[in-house]
Amino acid sequence: EQELLQLMMGSSSDTISEWGQYENSELPFHSAELELRTGTWNMDLLKQNAKCKFLESKTSIKKSKNGETGSNSLSHDQQKNVLVSSSALFFQRLGITDTNGKPKVAKSSKLRQCQKFVEVVSKLIDDSLISVTSNSDNDAKERPSIKTLDMGCGRGYLTFALHSHMYNKLHKQHDIQTFGVDMRPKLVKEINNIANDLGEEFNGLKFVTGAIENTEINDDIDILIALHACDTATDDSIWHGIKTGAKIIVTAPCCHKEVRHYINSMKDIDHPYADILRHNIYKERIAETITDSIRAMLLEIADYDVQVFEFIGGEHTNKNVMITAVKRKKPRTLSQREELRSRLKSIAQLHGIKTQKLALLM
């Protein structure tokens, strides 16, 4: 507050403000009041060509002499409700936050991404076939498990965050098991060590070395995650989720290269898209839109309810389109699936697409 006052007033209450000198007609107001916790200040523009001046109000001066300060009420300043606190120890161990729970330099976006991701998946769990009811047999030695597989997990920021939330939300009724898969052995060893040092909450979190297309984790999976898996690795991940009976599939596709060579053939002068595809930026966006639309329709054919949306603002990441799929309680009818296939063929024909990885796998 003192810095703000100094910026506006300088060393004297008669100092011109940072707004400089204006004619009254240039401003949509003639007076203003600035209320701080340390006092109240008035700005007046009473005369033509008057300077903008901030003067401490008489009420504020009187309160100051009596030893009173400005209002300390912060009732309007509400803490944002997040499912995973920034003060969580695993965020510190992963290098996202400091010991005070504040994001480190250049890590604010990653923290926000983790919190938003958990928010999205938590809502999907509530809407899915995954049971979150309490175990009625209190003497049962085994609880039903909820298995999550993160394909191409990288350093595991999102994997840790989701596992922590699911453990705290569901571990009394379920055995929470989370697996992360990445190709780099050194990285896998590092994040396994972090998980092992975090105590009981992370006993069910394991990272393994492997490739998405040939992962050895083939047990029934409840939640399949594949964020930023490059090109057709997203298709391999989705197919792994479908064939292992995943109730929830969450992907954020990346690098849509497969259909690009088909789109290049659309530059023929007679094609309706010819003038659009003269520009590479549109070619890239169309490849992304077509590919993800095909994936969404294939997931619908596989009896999932699908949503495609912006995962997080573009200022946080430019790979921000997310596809979520929740297994339907009631399968689609044969006629509904045939209609989807017909519409899918029409989209492929319009864009000259002869093959697509997920369609071939299915």
Side-chain angles (χ1 to χ4, degrees), residues 85-318:
S85 171
S86 61
S87 61
L89 182 58
F90 71 86
F91 278 140
Q92 297 178 31
R93 297 291 174 83
L94 291 170
I96 295 179
T97 61
D98 59 23
T99 54
N100 296 317
K102 301 296 183 183
K104 292 186 176 181
V105 176
K107 293 297 185 181
S108 294
S109 295
K110 180 57 67 177
L111 175 62
R112 175 62 186 138
Q113 187 180 10
C114 290
Q115 292 173 329
K116 180 62 177 179
F117 174 73
V118 171
E119 179 184 322
V120 169
V121 178
S122 182
K123 179 63 166 61
L124 295 175
I125 292 173
D126 291 341
D127 295 341
S128 74
L129 294 171
I130 296 175
S131 172
V132 294
T133 57
S134 298
N135 190 342
S136 58
D137 184 1
N138 294 326
D139 296 327
K141 294 182 179 180
E142 294 186 2
R143 295 164 294 164
S145 64
I146 296 180
K147 294 181 181 179
T148 300
L149 177 59
D150 188 351
M151 309 279 272
C153 63
R155 189 163 169 77
Y157 298 121
L158 302 177
T159 327
F160 274 89
L162 181 60
H163 179 86
S164 175
H165 169 68
M166 291 181 62
Y167 179 87
N168 288 305
K169 180 179 180 179
L170 301 172
H171 83 278
K172 291 182 179 179
Q173 301 87 29
H174 297 273
D175 178 24
I176 306 301
Q177 299 179 23
T178 306
F179 302 92
V181 178
D182 195 88
M183 295 183 64
R184 294 162 287 185
K186 185 177 178 181
L187 177 60
V188 168
K189 181 180 178 180
E190 178 187 348
I191 53 183
N192 264 327
N193 288 338
I194 293 174
N196 292 336
D197 290 341
L198 287 171
E200 181 182 356
E201 179 179 332
F202 292 90
N203 285 347
L205 176 60
K206 305 294 179 185
F207 295 92
V208 297
T209 304
I212 289 175
E213 62 270 20
N214 57 12
T215 179
E216 296 180 357
I217 302 176
N218 292 309
D219 296 335
D220 289 345
I221 301 298
D222 294 292
I223 303 173
L224 186 287
I225 299 165
L227 303 190
H228 304 159
C230 188
D231 197 23
T232 58
T234 294
D235 300 298
D236 292 321
S237 301
I238 292 173
W239 173 238
H240 190 83
I242 292 173
K243 71 180 183 180
T244 56
K247 301 174 180 67
I248 296 173
I249 297 175
V250 181
T251 67
C254 175
C255 307
H256 303 71
K257 298 177 182 178
E258 184 186 21
V259 303
R260 282 290 295 270
H261 71 279
Y262 293 119
I263 291 176
N264 287 336
S265 67
M266 293 163 55
K267 292 188 295 184
D268 182 85
I269 192 64
D270 294 329
H271 197 283
Y273 282 1
D275 287 318
I276 297 174
L277 295 176
R278 288 188 295 113
H279 310 287
N280 284 331
I281 187 171
Y282 291 145
K283 190 185 299 181
E284 180 180 345
R285 290 177 179 176
I286 287 176
E288 175 182 336
T289 301
I290 295 169
T291 304
D292 291 343
S293 296
I294 289 173
R295 288 166 173 160
M297 295 185 74
L298 288 169
L299 280 163
E300 288 177 325
I301 291 171
D303 281 330
Y304 287 85
D305 287 325
V306 181
Q307 295 184 63
V308 183
F309 56 91
E310 183 181 75
F311 164 42
I312 199 164
E315 70 275 13
H316 299 289
T317 173
N318 60 349

Side-chain angles (χ1 to χ4, degrees), residues 334-348:
L334 178 61
S335 61
Q336 288 174 327
R337 291 198 295 273
E338 287 302 320
E339 182 187 355
L340 282 167
R341 289 190 180 95
S342 176
R343 286 155 47 193
L344 182 59
K345 289 178 182 177
S346 296
I347 291 175

